[in-house]
Each structure stands twice: as structure tokens, then as C-alpha cells.
Amino acid sequence: MSGVVKINVLTVPSEQRETLEKRFASRAHAVENSDGFEWFELLRPVEGTDQYLVYTRWRDEASFQAWMEGPMKAAHQGGGADGGERPKPAASGSTLWSFEVVQQAAPKDA
């Protein structure tokens, strides 16, 4: 069993939710070609919290770090689409949780 899971906890005010989701949609497929990438989900809060969860699973810590230092860093350093200022972040806060996969299950074939 191997793999690591990274969960980025984004605090997003209600008026910024649509902005956040549109930005993720426009960046769709930005991580899929990264070596060691296994899974991505953007989880919208349903009740009781203003925190979105950005879930990614990686083959190992080195794969995640390589993505962070390469493609992710480049994507977050660029200016606006027209070369202007970067848009204001939709999230008011961010925390990264890291986990190792110790057990997993998938549905049995019918």
C-alpha cells in the first residue's frame, strides 16, 4: 500500500464560491499529466462550514513536491489572462493537510 493524500482546506466566503469554482473549472486538467498524480476532487461544503476541500492523491511525496515546485508554482505566479494584475484570491485562508494511505477499498466487480 502506498500513496499520499494532500487536502488543501480553503476558507471561501459565500460571495466568492462561484469565483473559486469557475477558476478551478478553467484550470481543469492542469494536474492530470503530472508524474505520480492519481486523483483530484474539489469538494463544496454543504452545511455548517465555509471551507472547501481540494483533495489530491499522489503516488508518493516526491511526486507531489515535484508538481508543487514545477507546474503548480508556475500556474500561481502568472499574471492575469491579459497580462494584467493577478485576480484577488477567492479564498480568505488556506491550510494543507498531508496523509499517508494505509488502507483503501474499491467496489467489488458485480
Side-chain angles (χ1 to χ4, degrees), residues 87-108:
K88 180 175 173 284
S92 63
S94 173
T95 302
L96 183 66
W97 295 343
S98 298
F99 299 88
E100 290 181 336
V101 177
V102 292
Q103 290 185 25
Q104 62 188 20
K108 294 184 186 287

Side-chain angles (χ1 to χ4, degrees), residues 58-110:
W58 299 84
R59 179 179 59 229
D60 51 35
E61 181 67 24
S63 298
F64 172 73
Q65 292 299 333
W67 174 73
M68 284 284 288
E69 291 302 312
M72 197 284 288
K73 196 175 208 178
H76 284 80
Q77 284 179 340
D82 58 1
E85 282 188 43
R86 277 184 54 76
K88 180 175 173 284
S92 63
S94 173
T95 302
L96 183 66
W97 295 343
S98 298
F99 299 88
E100 290 181 336
V101 177
V102 292
Q103 290 185 25
Q104 62 188 20
K108 294 184 186 287
D109 293 330

Side-chain angles (χ1 to χ4, degrees), residues 1 8 16 18 23-24 28 40 44 50-51 57 59 68 72 79 89 94 104:
M1 188 83 47
N8 195 0
Q16 289 292 326
E18 188 176 349
R23 287 182 186 168
F24 269 94
F40 161 86
R44 177 195 298 141
D50 58 358
Q51 294 181 315
R57 190 174 68 224
R59 179 179 59 229
M68 284 284 288
M72 197 284 288
S94 173
Q104 62 188 20

Side-chain angles (χ1 to χ4, degrees), residues 25-81:
S26 70
R27 283 207 312 257
H29 313 302
V31 71
E32 283 88 331
N33 293 327
S34 297
D35 184 52
F37 168 79
E38 295 180 352
W39 195 258
F40 161 86
E41 289 177 326
L42 174 63
L43 305 178
R44 177 195 298 141
V46 175
E47 58 186 24
T49 183
D50 58 358
Q51 294 181 315
Y52 276 73
L53 301 182
V54 183
Y55 174 102
T56 56
R57 190 174 68 224
W58 299 84
R59 179 179 59 229
D60 51 35
E61 181 67 24
S63 298
F64 172 73
Q65 292 299 333
W67 174 73
M68 284 284 288
E69 291 302 312
M72 197 284 288
K73 196 175 208 178
H76 284 80
Q77 284 179 340

